[in-house]
Amino acid sequence: MEHQEWATVVEAATRAPSIHNTQPWRFAATADRLDVSLDRDRALPVLDPTGRQQVISCGIAVEFAVVALAAAGRVSEVELLPDADDQDHLATIRVIADIEPTAEDRELAAAIDRRQTVRDPFQRRPVPVELLDRLQAEAGAFGCWFKPVTRSEEEVATVFLIDRAEELEQGDPAYLAELRSWVRTDPTAVDGVPVDAVPSGDPHQRPSNWSIRDFVVGTREHAAAQPADPGAPPPEVERPVVVLMGTDGDDRHAWVQSGRALARVLLQATVAGVAASPLTQALDWPATRSRMRTRLSLVGHPQMLLRMGYPAEGSTPARSGRRPVEDVLTRAPAD
Ligand SMILES: Cc1cc2nc3c(=O)[nH]c(=O)nc-3n(C[C@H](O)[C@H](O)[C@H](O)COP(=O)(O)O)c2cc1C
């Protein structure tokens, strides 16, 4: 493939969601191969000391590249962790054949650009069971389980652990300093989470059991609380679907596969008009992550907690930026 064609594929790959929009990836292309590596310069040592969530983010980028290749008529195969001496080299994607893309290939690739993390409350309209079954099958193809949190005792335990983790995080100055270093007020920023992409209100005040991550904790004192209108109807309580995704193992292989599964889940959901936002606070901390395993009797390791639903009419969060392709893609020496 020409370098320009790889640049187009990498541009699609970089639309992948990543923890705090750190975009912790590097790409190197030869004629028939794209190598994807973890970029340790973009690490989150407090929130993600093992790099688990960043490797998941890179796994999403790998699969977005595969989807973009398929829509361009390129069949590819992915080799995970191809270099035993370099565990940051997460995947090699090889083009092995050309084929006429299907309508579904094109539809999925078109969803890459439309997908966004939507943190605003969703409509109360339920996500169809058939779609959840489909997403479960997509995740299963990568060896990942996909489990909607439906039983009330599971929901209570999960909500409790998210709130507990959020409280721990908000009490940790190192976590707050790291978070602030990735929040952006400049709408043209090429990385980090734009303040306009996160709801301005206090996550604890919103009518939902599920607390989204508070990206602007401690900066809200100027937003004077509006006195409640005594005649106003009670706010509608949001009832998103929340799904837990996980793997039997908990190593780099499992993390990349979790990312690839998540990529397919997010794109298929986008095609169906369903949006998502991760709620990973409880998985940041080893203590709350392992309590989630025991409280929900999970076999294996939780990797991702995802809130899903139909976005409210007219809800268009600010788009988060991406670094230019030339900053993340190099030409690798041919073999
Ligand atoms: C592994 C992972 C964990 C994430 N955790 C959270 C989270 O806890 N809360 C949240 O609001 N967004 C979370 N996100 C979403 C990112 O903040 C988001 O993908 C990034 O800011 C880019 O925005 P976009 O998805 O709209 O392109 C997570 C994303 C990934 C890949």
Side-chain angles (χ1 to χ4, degrees):
M1 285 198 348
E2 296 293 326
H3 194 73
Q4 187 48 47
E5 202 181 339
W6 279 124
T8 307
V9 168
V10 169
E11 185 168 6
T14 64
R15 287 306 318 165
S18 59
I19 178 79
H20 289 4
N21 199 17
T22 45
Q23 304 165 45
W25 40 61
R26 283 186 287 111
F27 302 87
T30 59
D32 66 346
R33 195 183 87 208
L34 184 69
D35 292 309
V36 185
S37 300
L38 178 68
D39 183 348
R40 284 184 183 254
D41 290 346
R42 308 184 68 80
L44 295 172
V46 181
L47 180 148
D48 192 24
T50 61
R52 184 183 65 83
Q53 300 197 59
Q54 290 204 313
V55 172
I56 292 176
S57 307
C58 291
I60 307 171
V62 167
E63 203 56 23
F64 275 21
V66 169
V67 168
L69 282 166
R74 308 289 198 172
V75 182
S76 61
E77 84 188 1
V78 177
E79 185 186 357
L80 296 191
L81 299 164
D83 185 349
D85 294 330
D86 179 5
Q87 289 294 294
D88 288 347
H89 183 182
L90 299 175
T92 295
I93 305 170
R94 282 194 185 81
V95 174
I96 51 168
D98 290 346
I99 196 172
E100 188 56 32
T102 64
E104 189 185 353
D105 291 336
R106 293 205 172 93
E107 214 173 32
L108 274 188
I112 287 179
D113 221 37
R114 288 206 313 280
R115 184 216 59 84
Q116 278 186 272
T117 298
V118 177
R119 303 178 179 88
D120 283 332
F122 294 133
Q123 296 178 28
R124 283 183 66 101
R125 180 177 159 201
V127 175
V129 174
E130 301 72 39
L131 176 62
L132 294 173
D133 289 347
R134 169 88 198 264
L135 301 182
Q136 185 169 38
E138 293 277 344
F142 294 91
C144 286
W145 42 263
F146 174 101
K147 173 185 161 50
V149 179
T150 46
R151 292 188 16 238
S152 71
E153 58 275 28
E154 291 174 343
E155 178 173 327
V156 169
T158 310
V159 164
F160 170 79
L161 291 171
I162 292 176
D163 287 347
R164 178 81 192 109
E166 183 74 36
E167 194 181 303
L168 282 169
E169 293 187 322
Q170 293 191 10
D172 178 354
Y175 167 85
L176 293 178
E178 186 178 83
L179 178 70
R180 284 185 190 128
S181 73
W182 286 99
V183 171
R184 302 283 182 261
T185 48
D186 175 359
T188 64
V190 296
D191 61 9
V193 180
V195 276
D196 291 340
V198 298
S200 54
D202 183 342
H204 289 105
Q205 302 299 319
R206 78 194 236 166
S208 176
N209 289 345
W210 300 98
S211 300
I212 61 163
R213 191 187 292 274
D214 194 350
F215 285 91
V216 289
V217 58
T219 61
R220 229 176 256 108
E221 51 276 13
H222 303 302
Q226 297 295 317
D229 172 359
E236 258 198 6
V237 176
E238 185 201 23
R239 303 284 313 162
V241 169
V242 174
V243 295
L244 193 53
M245 293 174 66
T247 45
D248 293 345
D250 197 27
D251 53 12
R252 285 206 165 200
H253 187 280
W255 301 342
V256 179
Q257 288 295 79
S258 300
R260 297 178 68 199
L262 182 59
R264 293 276 166 177
V265 163
L266 292 173
L267 293 181
Q268 290 289 359
T270 303
V271 168
V274 168
S277 77
L279 294 167
T280 57
Q281 304 96 311
L283 307 185
D284 298 344
W285 296 81
T288 44
R289 188 168 176 235
S290 73
R291 275 182 78 187
M292 185 163 289
R293 288 183 71 193
T294 42
R295 295 286 299 272
L296 275 71
S297 310
L298 301 174
V299 180
H301 303 268
Q303 305 292 358
M304 172 53 59
L305 198 56
L306 207 57
R307 167 186 162 272
M308 305 186 87
Y310 292 93
E313 296 294 333
S315 146
T316 44
R319 272 173 82 82
S320 55
R322 292 297 186 274
R323 289 183 295 152
V325 169
E326 47 290 8
D327 287 8
V328 296
L329 172 63
T330 52
R331 284 172 208 256
D335 292 326

